Amino acid sequence: MGYSRGITEVQVGKGALWVGSDTCPLRNIARTSMRELVPDYGKAKAEFVKKLVLQLILVFAGLGLMSASAFFGFLLIVGAGLGLIARDYQRLQKVLNAPTLHVLRITTSGSPQTALTCDDKGLMDKIFHQLMEAMDNPEIQFHYEMPTCNINGDSIYQFGDHNTGQVTR
């Protein structure tokens, strides 16, 4: 799972919430919640070590099966092994350098949901509290151009609280 950065306009005015090009009347918001998406650093490290051990075993097994005169075969096996290790190390670094993302989920009285995702917890808290105030007082207005994080990976649809959801590819 990876993410990319972007800019999203978030504004409230005239009794409506705009997130990018999506709009929703404030009176239709049924629920809002804040969540954190914390990268699983332990799992990433364990997976890297597991793959590293397996790749080293395969490289040494391949070297053991080769004859001493197969110098090019030696280079191929060692090169492929080092390439796989470098690729897995790069993947590990992506996870270790990934920030905790803060998600503001907004559910409307129908079934649609939208979410803002950003690594700035203070900004997300501020928008959350201003949105709560605007739901009680439609005269409140605010506007932000905020950095957002678009999450790339499996699409996960969750129906109801505490549901494991359904993963679609």
Side-chain angles (χ1 to χ4, degrees):
M1 176 173 79
Y3 71 95
S4 60
R5 294 187 177 275
I7 299 290
T8 299
E9 285 193 44
V10 178
Q11 60 184 353
V12 166
K14 299 180 182 176
L17 166 68
W18 284 273
V19 178
S21 61
D22 295 335
T23 186
C24 171
L26 291 174
R27 68 181 179 276
N28 286 359
I29 295 176
R31 180 178 179 201
T32 60
S33 61
M34 292 288 291
R35 301 279 192 266
E36 285 187 343
L37 296 176
V38 181
D40 192 344
Y41 303 117
K43 181 180 176 185
K45 289 176 185 176
E47 189 174 314
F48 173 75
V49 169
K50 182 174 69 174
K51 286 182 178 181
L52 177 65
V53 169
L54 180 63
Q55 289 163 354
L56 289 175
I57 288 171
L58 291 174
V59 166
F60 287 123
L63 292 175
L65 295 174
M66 291 177 52
S67 65
S69 63
F71 180 71
F72 289 111
F74 170 80
L75 289 179
L76 180 65
I77 289 174
V78 171
L82 291 176
L84 290 173
I85 291 168
R87 180 200 64 188
D88 290 338
Y89 181 75
Q90 182 181 20
R91 288 180 178 171
L92 173 66
Q93 289 304 311
K94 278 185 179 179
V95 174
L96 295 179
N97 293 327
T100 296
L101 299 177
H102 305 279
V103 179
L104 171 58
R105 289 187 347 175
I106 302 165
T107 305
T108 62
S109 55
S111 60
Q113 290 191 29
T114 190
L116 290 171
T117 309
C118 181
D119 56 2
D120 184 345
K121 182 174 178 19
L123 178 60
M124 294 301 285
D125 283 339
K126 187 174 183 178
I127 291 173
F128 177 75
H129 291 295
Q130 285 186 326
L131 181 57
M132 295 297 97
E133 289 177 29
M135 288 170 63
D136 289 335
N137 180 2
E139 299 300 317
I140 292 178
Q141 297 184 17
F142 63 85
H143 179 267
Y144 292 98
E145 285 188 12
M146 60 178 288
T148 56
C149 300
N150 303 310
I151 302 170
N152 307 318
D154 292 338
S155 298
I156 300 174
Y157 300 97
Q158 179 173 335
F159 302 97
D161 288 342
H162 309 294
N163 190 326
T164 57
Q166 175 184 356
V167 178
T168 59
R169 297 201 185 259

